[in-house]
PDB file of all heavy atoms in Angstrom:
ATOM      1  N   ILE A1464     -21.390   7.534   4.847  1.00 89.00           N
ATOM      2  CA  ILE A1464     -20.785   7.712   3.531  1.00 89.00           C
ATOM      3  C   ILE A1464     -21.882   7.542   2.490  1.00 89.00           C
ATOM      4  O   ILE A1464     -22.717   6.649   2.595  1.00 89.00           O
ATOM      5  CB  ILE A1464     -19.666   6.676   3.290  1.00 89.00           C
ATOM      6  CG1 ILE A1464     -18.541   6.883   4.304  1.00 89.00           C
ATOM      7  CG2 ILE A1464     -19.130   6.766   1.876  1.00 89.00           C
ATOM      8  CD1 ILE A1464     -17.426   5.883   4.198  1.00 89.00           C
ATOM      9  N   GLY A1465     -21.866   8.394   1.488  1.00 83.00           N
ATOM     10  CA  GLY A1465     -22.851   8.299   0.414  1.00 83.00           C
ATOM     11  C   GLY A1465     -22.177   8.258  -0.942  1.00 83.00           C
ATOM     12  O   GLY A1465     -21.052   8.716  -1.106  1.00 83.00           O
ATOM     13  N   THR A1466     -22.887   7.716  -1.911  1.00 78.00           N
ATOM     14  CA  THR A1466     -22.321   7.589  -3.250  1.00 78.00           C
ATOM     15  C   THR A1466     -22.748   8.660  -4.244  1.00 78.00           C
ATOM     16  O   THR A1466     -22.133   8.758  -5.307  1.00 78.00           O
ATOM     17  CB  THR A1466     -22.653   6.212  -3.848  1.00 78.00           C
ATOM     18  OG1 THR A1466     -24.075   6.069  -3.898  1.00 78.00           O
ATOM     19  CG2 THR A1466     -22.038   5.099  -3.018  1.00 78.00           C
ATOM     20  N   PRO A1467     -23.771   9.499  -3.983  1.00 80.00           N
ATOM     21  CA  PRO A1467     -24.208  10.448  -5.011  1.00 80.00           C
ATOM     22  C   PRO A1467     -23.112  11.378  -5.529  1.00 80.00           C
ATOM     23  O   PRO A1467     -23.070  11.670  -6.718  1.00 80.00           O
ATOM     24  CB  PRO A1467     -25.322  11.244  -4.323  1.00 80.00           C
ATOM     25  CG  PRO A1467     -25.886  10.302  -3.332  1.00 80.00           C
ATOM     26  CD  PRO A1467     -24.693   9.520  -2.833  1.00 80.00           C
ATOM     27  N   ALA A1468     -22.225  11.828  -4.666  1.00 79.00           N
ATOM     28  CA  ALA A1468     -21.185  12.758  -5.112  1.00 79.00           C
ATOM     29  C   ALA A1468     -20.247  12.126  -6.137  1.00 79.00           C
ATOM     30  O   ALA A1468     -19.797  12.797  -7.064  1.00 79.00           O
ATOM     31  CB  ALA A1468     -20.383  13.279  -3.923  1.00 79.00           C
ATOM     32  N   VAL A1469     -19.965  10.839  -5.983  1.00 83.00           N
ATOM     33  CA  VAL A1469     -19.052  10.198  -6.936  1.00 83.00           C
ATOM     34  C   VAL A1469     -19.780   9.689  -8.174  1.00 83.00           C
ATOM     35  O   VAL A1469     -19.238   9.748  -9.278  1.00 83.00           O
ATOM     36  CB  VAL A1469     -18.201   9.089  -6.283  1.00 83.00           C
ATOM     37  CG1 VAL A1469     -17.237   9.677  -5.284  1.00 83.00           C
ATOM     38  CG2 VAL A1469     -19.045   8.023  -5.646  1.00 83.00           C
ATOM     39  N   THR A1470     -21.002   9.199  -8.009  1.00 84.00           N
ATOM     40  CA  THR A1470     -21.736   8.737  -9.191  1.00 84.00           C
ATOM     41  C   THR A1470     -22.128   9.909 -10.088  1.00 84.00           C
ATOM     42  O   THR A1470     -22.141   9.769 -11.310  1.00 84.00           O
ATOM     43  CB  THR A1470     -22.983   7.916  -8.814  1.00 84.00           C
ATOM     44  OG1 THR A1470     -23.840   8.694  -7.983  1.00 84.00           O
ATOM     45  CG2 THR A1470     -22.595   6.633  -8.106  1.00 84.00           C
ATOM     46  N   ALA A1471     -22.407  11.058  -9.484  1.00 84.00           N
ATOM     47  CA  ALA A1471     -22.727  12.251 -10.283  1.00 84.00           C
ATOM     48  C   ALA A1471     -21.519  12.702 -11.096  1.00 84.00           C
ATOM     49  O   ALA A1471     -21.670  13.373 -12.118  1.00 84.00           O
ATOM     50  CB  ALA A1471     -23.203  13.390  -9.378  1.00 84.00           C
ATOM     51  N   ARG A1472     -20.333  12.295 -10.657  1.00 86.00           N
ATOM     52  CA  ARG A1472     -19.113  12.656 -11.374  1.00 86.00           C
ATOM     53  C   ARG A1472     -18.658  11.545 -12.320  1.00 86.00           C
ATOM     54  O   ARG A1472     -17.568  11.594 -12.879  1.00 86.00           O
ATOM     55  CB  ARG A1472     -18.024  13.008 -10.367  1.00 86.00           C
ATOM     56  CG  ARG A1472     -18.391  14.287  -9.603  1.00 86.00           C
ATOM     57  CD  ARG A1472     -17.485  14.565  -8.438  1.00 86.00           C
ATOM     58  NE  ARG A1472     -16.239  15.178  -8.863  1.00 86.00           N
ATOM     59  CZ  ARG A1472     -15.341  15.670  -8.010  1.00 86.00           C
ATOM     60  NH1 ARG A1472     -15.561  15.612  -6.711  1.00 86.00           N
ATOM     61  NH2 ARG A1472     -14.237  16.199  -8.463  1.00 86.00           N
ATOM     62  N   GLY A1473     -19.509  10.514 -12.488  1.00 86.00           N
ATOM     63  CA  GLY A1473     -19.244   9.496 -13.492  1.00 86.00           C
ATOM     64  C   GLY A1473     -18.548   8.243 -13.017  1.00 86.00           C
ATOM     65  O   GLY A1473     -18.217   7.379 -13.831  1.00 86.00           O
ATOM     66  N   LEU A1474     -18.307   8.089 -11.726  1.00 88.00           N
ATOM     67  CA  LEU A1474     -17.650   6.881 -11.251  1.00 88.00           C
ATOM     68  C   LEU A1474     -18.630   5.714 -11.236  1.00 88.00           C
ATOM     69  O   LEU A1474     -19.827   5.893 -11.069  1.00 88.00           O
ATOM     70  CB  LEU A1474     -17.048   7.104  -9.869  1.00 88.00           C
ATOM     71  CG  LEU A1474     -15.662   7.773  -9.902  1.00 88.00           C
ATOM     72  CD1 LEU A1474     -15.772   9.226 -10.231  1.00 88.00           C
ATOM     73  CD2 LEU A1474     -14.939   7.574  -8.608  1.00 88.00           C
ATOM     74  N   LYS A1475     -18.099   4.526 -11.411  1.00 89.00           N
ATOM     75  CA  LYS A1475     -18.877   3.290 -11.511  1.00 89.00           C
ATOM     76  C   LYS A1475     -18.483   2.327 -10.390  1.00 89.00           C
ATOM     77  O   LYS A1475     -17.633   2.639  -9.563  1.00 89.00           O
ATOM     78  CB  LYS A1475     -18.641   2.622 -12.876  1.00 89.00           C
ATOM     79  CG  LYS A1475     -18.957   3.509 -14.059  1.00 89.00           C
ATOM     80  CD  LYS A1475     -20.431   3.741 -14.189  1.00 89.00           C
ATOM     81  CE  LYS A1475     -20.726   4.577 -15.439  1.00 89.00           C
ATOM     82  NZ  LYS A1475     -22.019   5.165 -15.430  1.00 89.00           N
ATOM     83  N   GLU A1476     -19.081   1.121 -10.426  1.00 86.00           N
ATOM     84  CA  GLU A1476     -18.861   0.134  -9.389  1.00 86.00           C
ATOM     85  C   GLU A1476     -17.383  -0.197  -9.194  1.00 86.00           C
ATOM     86  O   GLU A1476     -16.905  -0.310  -8.066  1.00 86.00           O
ATOM     87  CB  GLU A1476     -19.636  -1.162  -9.685  1.00 86.00           C
ATOM     88  CG  GLU A1476     -21.132  -1.028  -9.541  1.00 86.00           C
ATOM     89  CD  GLU A1476     -21.825  -0.464 -10.779  1.00 86.00           C
ATOM     90  OE1 GLU A1476     -21.162  -0.175 -11.807  1.00 86.00           O
ATOM     91  OE2 GLU A1476     -23.054  -0.295 -10.721  1.00 86.00           O
ATOM     92  N   GLU A1477     -16.649  -0.355 -10.279  1.00 90.00           N
ATOM     93  CA  GLU A1477     -15.227  -0.702 -10.157  1.00 90.00           C
ATOM     94  C   GLU A1477     -14.427   0.412  -9.474  1.00 90.00           C
ATOM     95  O   GLU A1477     -13.425   0.149  -8.809  1.00 90.00           O
ATOM     96  CB  GLU A1477     -14.620  -1.067 -11.508  1.00 90.00           C
ATOM     97  CG  GLU A1477     -14.678   0.020 -12.554  1.00 90.00           C
ATOM     98  CD  GLU A1477     -15.941   0.037 -13.414  1.00 90.00           C
ATOM     99  OE1 GLU A1477     -16.922  -0.670 -13.101  1.00 90.00           O
ATOM    100  OE2 GLU A1477     -15.948   0.772 -14.403  1.00 90.00           O
ATOM    101  N   ASP A1478     -14.884   1.650  -9.624  1.00 91.00           N
ATOM    102  CA  ASP A1478     -14.218   2.767  -8.952  1.00 91.00           C
ATOM    103  C   ASP A1478     -14.459   2.732  -7.446  1.00 91.00           C
ATOM    104  O   ASP A1478     -13.623   3.186  -6.668  1.00 91.00           O
ATOM    105  CB  ASP A1478     -14.715   4.102  -9.519  1.00 91.00           C
ATOM    106  CG  ASP A1478     -14.420   4.241 -11.004  1.00 91.00           C
ATOM    107  OD1 ASP A1478     -13.251   4.042 -11.398  1.00 91.00           O
ATOM    108  OD2 ASP A1478     -15.356   4.551 -11.762  1.00 91.00           O
ATOM    109  N   MET A1479     -15.605   2.192  -7.045  1.00 88.00           N
ATOM    110  CA  MET A1479     -15.927   2.120  -5.621  1.00 88.00           C
ATOM    111  C   MET A1479     -14.932   1.217  -4.890  1.00 88.00           C
ATOM    112  O   MET A1479     -14.590   1.459  -3.740  1.00 88.00           O
ATOM    113  CB  MET A1479     -17.350   1.618  -5.392  1.00 88.00           C
ATOM    114  CG  MET A1479     -18.423   2.484  -6.010  1.00 88.00           C
ATOM    115  SD  MET A1479     -18.279   4.217  -5.522  1.00 88.00           S
ATOM    116  CE  MET A1479     -19.348   4.950  -6.751  1.00 88.00           C
ATOM    117  N   LYS A1480     -14.453   0.186  -5.564  1.00 92.00           N
ATOM    118  CA  LYS A1480     -13.450  -0.693  -4.951  1.00 92.00           C
ATOM    119  C   LYS A1480     -12.172   0.083  -4.657  1.00 92.00           C
ATOM    120  O   LYS A1480     -11.538  -0.127  -3.622  1.00 92.00           O
ATOM    121  CB  LYS A1480     -13.162  -1.881  -5.857  1.00 92.00           C
ATOM    122  CG  LYS A1480     -14.341  -2.809  -6.013  1.00 92.00           C
ATOM    123  CD  LYS A1480     -14.049  -3.933  -6.971  1.00 92.00           C
ATOM    124  CE  LYS A1480     -15.290  -4.817  -7.133  1.00 92.00           C
ATOM    125  NZ  LYS A1480     -15.039  -5.950  -8.022  1.00 92.00           N
ATOM    126  N   VAL A1481     -11.798   0.984  -5.545  1.00 94.00           N
ATOM    127  CA  VAL A1481     -10.610   1.819  -5.346  1.00 94.00           C
ATOM    128  C   VAL A1481     -10.834   2.763  -4.165  1.00 94.00           C
ATOM    129  O   VAL A1481      -9.959   2.939  -3.318  1.00 94.00           O
ATOM    130  CB  VAL A1481     -10.275   2.613  -6.632  1.00 94.00           C
ATOM    131  CG1 VAL A1481      -9.133   3.573  -6.402  1.00 94.00           C
ATOM    132  CG2 VAL A1481      -9.976   1.668  -7.782  1.00 94.00           C
ATOM    133  N   ILE A1482     -12.030   3.346  -4.097  1.00 93.00           N
ATOM    134  CA  ILE A1482     -12.351   4.261  -2.995  1.00 93.00           C
ATOM    135  C   ILE A1482     -12.349   3.508  -1.664  1.00 93.00           C
ATOM    136  O   ILE A1482     -11.820   4.010  -0.663  1.00 93.00           O
ATOM    137  CB  ILE A1482     -13.695   4.966  -3.257  1.00 93.00           C
ATOM    138  CG1 ILE A1482     -13.566   5.894  -4.472  1.00 93.00           C
ATOM    139  CG2 ILE A1482     -14.152   5.742  -2.017  1.00 93.00           C
ATOM    140  CD1 ILE A1482     -14.885   6.449  -4.979  1.00 93.00           C
ATOM    141  N   VAL A1483     -12.908   2.305  -1.646  1.00 92.00           N
ATOM    142  CA  VAL A1483     -12.901   1.508  -0.418  1.00 92.00           C
ATOM    143  C   VAL A1483     -11.466   1.213   0.002  1.00 92.00           C
ATOM    144  O   VAL A1483     -11.135   1.274   1.188  1.00 92.00           O
ATOM    145  CB  VAL A1483     -13.714   0.204  -0.594  1.00 92.00           C
ATOM    146  CG1 VAL A1483     -13.445  -0.778   0.543  1.00 92.00           C
ATOM    147  CG2 VAL A1483     -15.193   0.527  -0.683  1.00 92.00           C
ATOM    148  N   ASP A1484     -10.602   0.907  -0.951  1.00 95.00           N
ATOM    149  CA  ASP A1484      -9.196   0.663  -0.624  1.00 95.00           C
ATOM    150  C   ASP A1484      -8.579   1.903   0.020  1.00 95.00           C
ATOM    151  O   ASP A1484      -7.835   1.797   0.995  1.00 95.00           O
ATOM    152  CB  ASP A1484      -8.413   0.266  -1.877  1.00 95.00           C
ATOM    153  CG  ASP A1484      -6.957   0.013  -1.562  1.00 95.00           C
ATOM    154  OD1 ASP A1484      -6.670  -0.956  -0.814  1.00 95.00           O
ATOM    155  OD2 ASP A1484      -6.098   0.798  -2.020  1.00 95.00           O
ATOM    156  N   MET A1485      -8.895   3.073  -0.505  1.00 96.00           N
ATOM    157  CA  MET A1485      -8.369   4.319   0.069  1.00 96.00           C
ATOM    158  C   MET A1485      -8.857   4.503   1.505  1.00 96.00           C
ATOM    159  O   MET A1485      -8.068   4.822   2.400  1.00 96.00           O
ATOM    160  CB  MET A1485      -8.794   5.511  -0.781  1.00 96.00           C
ATOM    161  CG  MET A1485      -8.183   5.555  -2.150  1.00 96.00           C
ATOM    162  SD  MET A1485      -8.914   6.934  -3.079  1.00 96.00           S
ATOM    163  CE  MET A1485      -8.214   6.680  -4.690  1.00 96.00           C
ATOM    164  N   ILE A1486     -10.150   4.295   1.720  1.00 94.00           N
ATOM    165  CA  ILE A1486     -10.721   4.428   3.066  1.00 94.00           C
ATOM    166  C   ILE A1486     -10.083   3.421   4.010  1.00 94.00           C
ATOM    167  O   ILE A1486      -9.697   3.750   5.137  1.00 94.00           O
ATOM    168  CB  ILE A1486     -12.253   4.271   3.021  1.00 94.00           C
ATOM    169  CG1 ILE A1486     -12.882   5.452   2.278  1.00 94.00           C
ATOM    170  CG2 ILE A1486     -12.829   4.144   4.425  1.00 94.00           C
ATOM    171  CD1 ILE A1486     -14.358   5.285   1.952  1.00 94.00           C
ATOM    172  N   ASP A1487      -9.943   2.189   3.558  1.00 92.00           N
ATOM    173  CA  ASP A1487      -9.349   1.133   4.376  1.00 92.00           C
ATOM    174  C   ASP A1487      -7.913   1.464   4.762  1.00 92.00           C
ATOM    175  O   ASP A1487      -7.500   1.257   5.903  1.00 92.00           O
ATOM    176  CB  ASP A1487      -9.413  -0.204   3.632  1.00 92.00           C
ATOM    177  CG  ASP A1487      -8.888  -1.348   4.472  1.00 92.00           C
ATOM    178  OD1 ASP A1487      -9.365  -1.525   5.611  1.00 92.00           O
ATOM    179  OD2 ASP A1487      -7.989  -2.071   3.989  1.00 92.00           O
ATOM    180  N   ARG A1488      -7.142   1.988   3.822  1.00 95.00           N
ATOM    181  CA  ARG A1488      -5.752   2.350   4.140  1.00 95.00           C
ATOM    182  C   ARG A1488      -5.694   3.429   5.203  1.00 95.00           C
ATOM    183  O   ARG A1488      -4.823   3.406   6.070  1.00 95.00           O
ATOM    184  CB  ARG A1488      -5.005   2.784   2.886  1.00 95.00           C
ATOM    185  CG  ARG A1488      -4.597   1.582   2.048  1.00 95.00           C
ATOM    186  CD  ARG A1488      -3.687   1.950   0.927  1.00 95.00           C
ATOM    187  NE  ARG A1488      -4.472   2.613  -0.113  1.00 95.00           N
ATOM    188  CZ  ARG A1488      -4.017   3.571  -0.905  1.00 95.00           C
ATOM    189  NH1 ARG A1488      -2.778   3.988  -0.809  1.00 95.00           N
ATOM    190  NH2 ARG A1488      -4.788   4.096  -1.823  1.00 95.00           N
ATOM    191  N   ILE A1489      -6.625   4.376   5.154  1.00 93.00           N
ATOM    192  CA  ILE A1489      -6.644   5.421   6.176  1.00 93.00           C
ATOM    193  C   ILE A1489      -7.047   4.837   7.530  1.00 93.00           C
ATOM    194  O   ILE A1489      -6.406   5.103   8.550  1.00 93.00           O
ATOM    195  CB  ILE A1489      -7.561   6.581   5.754  1.00 93.00           C
ATOM    196  CG1 ILE A1489      -6.905   7.343   4.592  1.00 93.00           C
ATOM    197  CG2 ILE A1489      -7.837   7.525   6.929  1.00 93.00           C
ATOM    198  CD1 ILE A1489      -7.766   8.393   3.963  1.00 93.00           C
TER     199      ILE A1489
END
């Protein structure tokens, strides 16, 4: 998993927690 695609779209550290929650639920 890499972060460039989401950081290039303006997401920040707090958004990564939301993404991790999504991955964890799956």
Side-chain angles (χ1 to χ4, degrees):
I1464 297 177
T1466 59
V1469 293
T1470 57
R1472 294 170 80 172
L1474 277 74
K1475 303 290 183 197
E1476 290 84 1
E1477 60 271 11
D1478 299 308
M1479 300 307 165
K1480 294 177 182 182
V1481 175
I1482 294 169
V1483 167
D1484 180 65
M1485 293 175 187
I1486 292 170
D1487 184 53
R1488 283 189 285 147
I1489 290 173

